[in-house]
Each structure stands twice: as C-alpha cells, then as structure tokens.
Amino acid sequence: MRKTDRTTRTTRTAPGSAGKAGLGELERAVMDVLWDLGPDADATVREVHGRLSEGRDVAYTTVMTVMDRLARKGVVVQQKEGRAYRYRAQATRAEMTADLMRDTLADLGSSERAPALVAFVEDASAEDLAALRKALAALES
Amino acid sequence: MTGVDLTPLVLGALAVALAGPVPALMARASRLHLTPFAAMTLWQAVALAAVLAALGAGLSLATGQTLREEPGPVGGVVAVLALTVTLVVAARLLLSGHRVGTSLRTLRREHREQVDLVAGRHDDLHVLEHDVPVAYCLPGVAHSRVVVSAATLEHLEPAQLDAVLAHERAHLAARHDLVLEAFTVLHRAFPRWVSSDAALREVQLLVEILADRAALKVGRAHDLGAALLAMAHGRVPAGSMGASGSDLVERVRVLADRRPRRAQGVALVLASWAVLVLPTALVVQPWLASLG
C-alpha cells in the first residue's frame, strides 16, 4: 500500500510539463487499447498495462491512475467483477467524436457564444452562400 | 479651482459617447475593415477610454463634493451616490471578467481533453473523423490546438488547406482570443445601454480579417476565398439563421480590396492615441492636481 502511494506520487510530480503532457498521452493510449478491444469489451488494469508495456516502459500504478482519472471523467465505465475492477470505454471513438462535433457545431451556430473556439467559418444561410459565390467571382476577375 | 468643477460632467459625457454613439457609428463604417490592424487598435482604445472615463466621472464627482470648503448634506449624498455607481461599474467588470475567464478556461480544457482522446494526428494538426467540414483553433498558453475534421481534408485542395491552417495559426500566434475575451467581458458586464454588442461583433469580424491577411502571406486570396466557400457550403444545414454569414461575404470583399490605405491607418492610430491621452491630459491631470 505504502509502496503504491509513493509510486503514484512520483508519477504525479513528474518533471514539469512533460509529466502533464505524458498523462494526456497515456490517457489516449489507454483509450486506444480499450477501443481496439471492440465495442462493449472490457479489460482489467493488468490487461491494459500488459498491452501498453509492449511498446513502452510504463508502471502498473501509472496505468491504474490514468484509468481512474478516465473513470472519474466518465469516459470509461468501471465495474467490479469478483475481486478485480473491469473497465470499458463508455462510447466508441466514433460516438465520442460525433458528440464532440455536435457540441462544437451547436456552439458555433449560437449567437451568444463565449469564444472558447475560434473557427474559420461560422454558420451560413443559403442566401449567404449565393452572396459569397458572387463575391468570390469578383475576387477572380 | 474656482467656479463649478466640470470634470465629472466632461468625463461623464465622454463615457456616454464612447459607450454608445461612437461604437455604433464605428460599427457602421465598413471601410474600417480595410485597415484591420488600425481599426482593432481604435476599438480597444475606445473601449478602454469609455471604462476609464466612467470610473473617472464617478470618482471626480465624489471627491469634488467632499473636498469643498463647506460640504453640505446634498453634497454628501451626491458623493455617496457617485462613489456607489463607480463601485458598481468596477465590480460588474471584475465579476464579468472572472466569470468569462473561468468559463472559457473550463470549456477549452474540457474540449482539449476530448480532442486529445479522439482526434488523429497529422504533425501538429488534430483531425476528427467526421463528415462535416470544420476548422478551428483552441487557444491556450501552452496547450493550443488546431483542429480540423476529415471532411475538411477531403474537400479542400492542398493550397486551400494551407491557407486555412495559416489563418488558424495566425489566431493563435497573435492571441486573438485575448481581444475576444476582453470584449466578451465588456459585453457580459454591460449587455444593454452600451453598444457592447456591436463592438463585440465588429471585433470578431476584425479578428477574422486579420487572420485572413496573415494567411495571404502563404497563399493566394483566391485559395482562401474558395476555402471559405467550400467550408461554409458544407455547413449550411446546421444553422437556419445565417445572420453571422454576412461576415463571410464581407471577408471576401476585404480580400478583394487590399490596396494599402496608409492615411486611414495613421488617422485611426492617431485617433486611438487621442481618445486615451487627451482626456487624461486635459481633464484628469488638472483634477488630480487639484486634489493635491
């Protein structure tokens, strides 16, 4: 227990920005493993750690921390099965992408939005498009 | 100082003018778009001067009443009222600044975390597997991202894509998000009885025009314009009220007219300077001196 704590702490206080960026990158790697299992398939931390260890040097407790974070964010679902926790992706990558895009498009389409994103084009109507084509034709000449 | 002190009156009138009619007039002058950098400078100067004049008017009214030879009860009431109004204005600005800043940071962090989980990478570009074309940037000090959808990569020709990416990177490099944030704060603090809506909309357009100009350093105007059309085309069903769409037409109009307008640019920068410095020198300086 004590050893676990210490390892977790050293992971969290890893040097500067590299530690934080590393965590985000690991979250992504964990999700890739879960998504590769296929829809609704689940895995334990040990299984995910096994897959990740093939390509990198990563501590078991680090993977556990990352998966715990993902569970708290609601991106993965944690379920107790016997003595171990099993984890699965809450949605497929395509579903998550669609959700994100829906939020983004709704945000860009609203007039009273906070400028969280700065987009290349906001929403246009059919009349706008016609006017835009005309303006573009003037640009060519 | 002898006679009636005009400081609060002058500053008050200036604040009202700079908060209402001046921005309203500026928003209607579309030729300002042709010198976007100078126009942006003027918008910022006018907004800052309006806030300073409003605060200065209240403070000078309060001090003018309390520092009289014989401060009567009416003077006392006026002073308290003036001070209260000043504090309310300042508090609204600070509160709005706090709220907007916090919510923007949260929204961006959450969005960035989701993008990082689901998006593919092409060098420093984040690509979302989706069939609606989008291109946007997520501003941030150390964590900025340029995000496009797969549809954008499919629909645009290489030269057009380069122009779009240069446009988004220009937003990030010039920290346009900070200007937008400041004007959003102003608008949320004083949504009515101040033309903050017009100011915010104009600043949003100017930011796009500035990024368009920056993109022209790597691409041709026609590539950028064609990219605008292609991207807007893929997005039409999403919105029914295309009020902001006229911005697109205005951007193409500005793309077509890039003759340098030095005189207008210099005039706007001088006006920016004047609107900030003249009230300080002519009104605030004597008032402060009279306090000493």
Side-chain angles (χ1 to χ4, degrees):
Chain A
M1 193 65 208
R2 203 192 185 104
K3 185 166 180 281
T4 311
D5 275 358
R6 201 181 302 145
T7 326
T8 315
R9 200 174 311 131
T10 44
T11 316
R12 286 217 177 106
T13 52
S17 60
K20 190 105 188 192
L23 217 53
E25 204 270 319
L26 265 178
E27 286 186 4
R28 185 189 165 82
V30 167
M31 290 312 289
D32 283 343
V33 169
L34 291 179
W35 278 326
D36 280 349
L37 294 175
D40 291 328
D42 56 9
T44 60
V45 173
R46 190 157 298 284
E47 285 160 3
V48 173
H49 177 243
R51 290 286 292 275
L52 287 178
S53 300
E54 290 164 15
R56 66 177 78 209
D57 190 20
V58 57
Y60 173 78
T61 45
T62 309
V63 178
M64 195 164 75
T65 309
V66 167
M67 291 178 73
D68 195 48
R69 262 172 67 103
L70 289 169
R72 265 183 285 131
K73 284 185 199 167
V75 183
V76 304
V77 181
Q78 191 186 37
Q79 246 174 349
K80 192 153 187 162
E81 203 179 277
R83 288 172 62 196
Y85 280 107
R86 296 194 70 83
Y87 296 80
R88 66 178 163 80
Q90 202 272 331
T92 64
R93 185 198 297 266
E95 284 163 354
M96 252 187 94
T97 306
D99 281 350
L100 184 63
M101 281 288 289
R102 193 176 327 110
D103 288 351
T104 303
L105 292 173
D107 182 36
L108 297 181
S110 88
S111 54
E112 274 293 301
R113 68 190 202 87
L117 320 173
V118 189
F120 183 60
V121 295
E122 310 220 336
D123 282 351
S125 66
E127 298 84 66
D128 292 330
L129 276 190
L132 197 55
R133 278 204 189 86
K134 242 191 216 161
L136 193 60
L139 190 59
E140 275 168 278
S141 59
Chain B
M1 201 181 254
T2 54
V4 186
D5 185 11
L6 289 178
T7 306
L9 208 62
V10 173
L11 286 180
L14 191 66
V16 169
L18 291 179
V22 169
L25 277 175
M26 281 169 67
R28 244 176 284 157
S30 61
R31 57 178 300 166
L32 290 187
H33 303 156
L34 300 175
T35 51
F37 190 81
M40 185 64 101
T41 310
L42 184 59
W43 274 108
Q44 294 180 54
V46 165
L48 184 59
V51 170
L52 292 179
L55 296 177
L59 283 180
S60 61
L61 185 57
T63 58
Q65 293 297 332
T66 48
L67 291 184
R68 271 191 186 167
E69 306 277 300
E70 59 241 29
V74 178
V77 171
V78 170
V80 169
L81 277 179
L83 212 56
T84 311
V85 171
T86 312
L87 286 177
V88 166
V89 169
R92 280 189 82 124
L93 274 174
L94 289 176
L95 186 66
S96 168
H98 173 71
R99 280 191 183 147
V100 170
T102 315
S103 88
L104 281 183
R105 273 194 301 280
T106 310
L107 281 171
R108 283 177 188 152
R109 196 197 60 239
E110 288 173 358
H111 195 103
R112 192 182 63 235
E113 287 179 353
Q114 292 194 50
V115 164
D116 285 356
L117 280 184
V118 299
R121 290 284 191 85
H122 290 254
D123 300 323
D124 62 339
L125 196 61
H126 288 71
V127 183
L128 296 171
E129 279 301 323
H130 203 273
D131 53 7
V132 174
V134 291
Y136 59 89
C137 60
L138 265 169
V141 180
H143 307 286
S144 60
R145 304 270 186 276
V146 176
V147 185
V148 297
S149 58
T152 303
L153 300 182
E154 264 166 47
H155 290 338
L156 297 187
E157 288 165 22
Q160 296 171 350
L161 182 64
D162 285 346
V164 172
L165 297 183
H167 171 107
E168 293 305 326
R169 288 186 186 121
H171 279 317
L172 294 178
R175 291 309 307 266
H176 286 156
D177 56 298
L178 293 181
V179 187
L180 293 176
E181 184 170 338
F183 278 87
T184 306
V185 167
L186 211 56
H187 180 47
R188 297 274 164 92
F190 309 107
R192 286 181 289 272
W193 46 270
V194 163
S195 300
S196 58
D197 185 33
L200 180 57
R201 262 187 287 118
E202 278 301 300
V203 167
Q204 280 170 341
L205 174 56
L206 282 173
V207 154
E208 296 306 326
I209 293 175
L210 282 168
D212 284 345
R213 290 259 164 125
L216 291 183
K217 286 182 188 139
V218 303
R220 296 180 311 135
H222 188 260
D223 289 328
L224 193 63
L228 273 174
L229 179 63
M231 301 280 290
H233 189 75
R235 289 267 302 284
V236 167
S240 47
M241 296 159 291
S244 64
S246 56
D247 273 8
L248 296 175
V249 182
E250 180 63 7
R251 278 164 71 185
V252 175
R253 184 185 79 87
V254 172
L255 275 180
D257 188 352
R258 300 195 304 282
R259 277 170 294 153
R261 286 178 168 73
R262 298 231 166 71
Q264 182 180 317
V266 170
L268 292 183
V269 171
L270 283 179
S272 315
W273 180 83
V275 84
L276 276 175
V277 172
L278 289 185
T280 315
L282 299 181
V283 186
V284 180
Q285 195 67 35
W287 164 54
L288 288 178
S290 78
L291 292 182

